[in-house]
Amino acid sequence: MYADNSAPAAPRPAVTVPRLRQMKADGERIASLTAYDAGFARTLDAAGIDAVLVGDSLGMVVQGHGSTLPVTVEDIVYHTACVSRGLRKALLIADMPFQSYATPEHAIASATPMLARGRASMVKLEGAGPLLESIRFLAERDIPVCAHLGLTPQSVLRLGGYKVQGREEAAAARLRADARAVRDAGADLLVLECVPSALAAEITQDLDIPTIGIGAGADCDGQILVLHDLLGLNSGHRRPRFVKDFLAEGGSIEGAIKAYVRAVKNREFPTAEHGYEA
Ligand code: KIV
């Protein structure tokens, strides 16, 4: 009777590693969140999240530790397998725990069960310098790597706390060089955490791989937040300035995640108030 002439929405393609690079080339923002179980993973996937990270933040938000250091490879494999059962389209990234990639041999032994049993499509590891060898070793053996620079929480003992990185010119120059070095070693994605917004923008412009920011301003290729932060569950800690409680805006868990995806895609989150100056 009444034909609906509007074109049906194109089905969302599964997010693959090459697709992330295409999204950068097309100027499409990558919306990413952490998850630790199948139920939330299903909700994130249905809301249009592009990439889900099983972060070692699980040590703090799930296990109740004061840092990410106690998390084990087996913890990550278990939670990655749980999350994988809830995903259909989103790319699954597993976080490599403290010292589980200190040498290339250790890195491949840790990463393999994350892909084979956890069904991740990528692993994430923190740092550059001596760890470039591990990135190269994994990438050359077809294990996609997401690097992580800036505030690297596994370095909390050396850094003396969770602080913005790259504010002084020497530190900014080191970060610029490290970003190129992880790309050259074969990383396909780069998380930039707590760095001045202008520096993150510069690194994003400079690289052909996508950057995902958290406390790194509005000009990265994508954004990530810890799920618990987005839902306003801050477990008694002071809320960092880059966090926004989307539950207040979305009205429900599904609504909050959809509001986050929409805000990232439309470049409405983060804004200048969520970033740091040099
Ligand atoms: O462990 C984690 O959740 C992370 C994100 C904050 C990027 O590394």
Side-chain angles (χ1 to χ4, degrees):
M1 274 230 301
Y2 299 109
D4 177 2
N5 292 327
S6 60
R12 189 161 82 98
V15 182
T16 59
V17 173
R19 166 113 188 99
L20 291 177
R21 217 181 263 229
Q22 191 58 49
M23 288 171 80
K24 175 174 178 118
D26 294 346
E28 183 185 347
R29 286 285 196 268
I30 299 164
S32 185
L33 279 177
T34 67
Y36 315 96
D37 65 49
F40 271 108
R42 209 170 293 119
T43 306
L44 265 55
D45 199 86
I49 285 286
D50 298 303
V52 175
L53 170 70
V54 180
D56 63 355
S57 50
L58 77 84
M60 300 174 83
V61 300
V62 175
Q63 296 173 334
H65 295 296
S67 78
T68 59
L69 304 190
V71 174
T72 66
V73 168
E74 208 38 54
D75 291 336
I76 294 287
V77 172
Y78 172 80
H79 285 278
T80 304
C82 293
V83 168
S84 76
R85 293 181 204 114
L87 298 185
R88 290 181 59 237
K89 302 288 189 180
L91 184 91
L92 178 54
I93 307 172
D95 213 358
M96 300 189 72
F98 182 55
Q99 300 305 347
S100 70
Y101 49 91
T103 65
E105 292 72 22
H106 201 177
I108 200 152
S110 305
T112 301
M114 294 180 190
L115 274 62
R117 286 195 280 131
R119 308 197 71 78
S121 293
M122 181 177 254
V123 295
K124 178 171 83 60
L125 58 84
E126 297 180 6
L131 301 166
L132 293 170
E133 264 188 86
S134 294
I135 297 178
R136 188 170 292 107
F137 195 82
L138 294 176
E140 285 176 350
R141 283 155 187 80
D142 294 327
I143 297 183
V145 176
C146 172
H148 182 157
L149 297 174
L151 171 56
T152 47
Q154 292 174 13
S155 314
V156 61
L157 300 178
R158 184 173 51 78
L159 297 176
Y162 300 103
K163 302 172 187 164
V164 178
Q165 302 295 307
R167 279 191 148 141
E168 306 76 28
E169 188 38 47
R174 201 162 47 245
L175 257 174
R176 286 186 204 100
D178 284 349
R180 283 189 175 191
V182 296
R183 187 273 317 270
D184 292 345
D188 280 300
L189 189 63
L190 171 60
V191 167
L192 290 171
E193 178 164 355
C194 290
V195 301
S197 305
L199 177 61
E202 211 186 304
I203 291 172
T204 299
Q205 280 267 317
D206 185 52
L207 296 183
D208 52 354
I209 59 170
T211 61
I212 306 281
I214 172 164
D219 293 317
C220 291
D221 298 305
Q223 294 296 325
I224 186 162
L225 282 181
V226 170
L227 177 63
H228 292 57
D229 288 342
L230 169 136
L231 297 177
L233 300 167
N234 65 11
S235 49
H237 300 295
R238 191 172 54 84
R239 192 160 82 192
R241 65 184 293 158
F242 58 82
V243 167
K244 178 173 169 188
D245 176 356
F246 279 87
L247 191 56
E249 174 178 328
S252 67
I253 290 174
E254 285 86 352
I257 295 164
K258 281 185 183 155
Y260 170 74
V261 172
R262 205 166 39 241
V264 170
K265 297 275 178 194
N266 293 341
R267 301 169 190 237
E268 290 160 358
F269 176 81
T271 59
E273 71 182 282
H274 302 111
Y276 299 99
E277 288 181 8

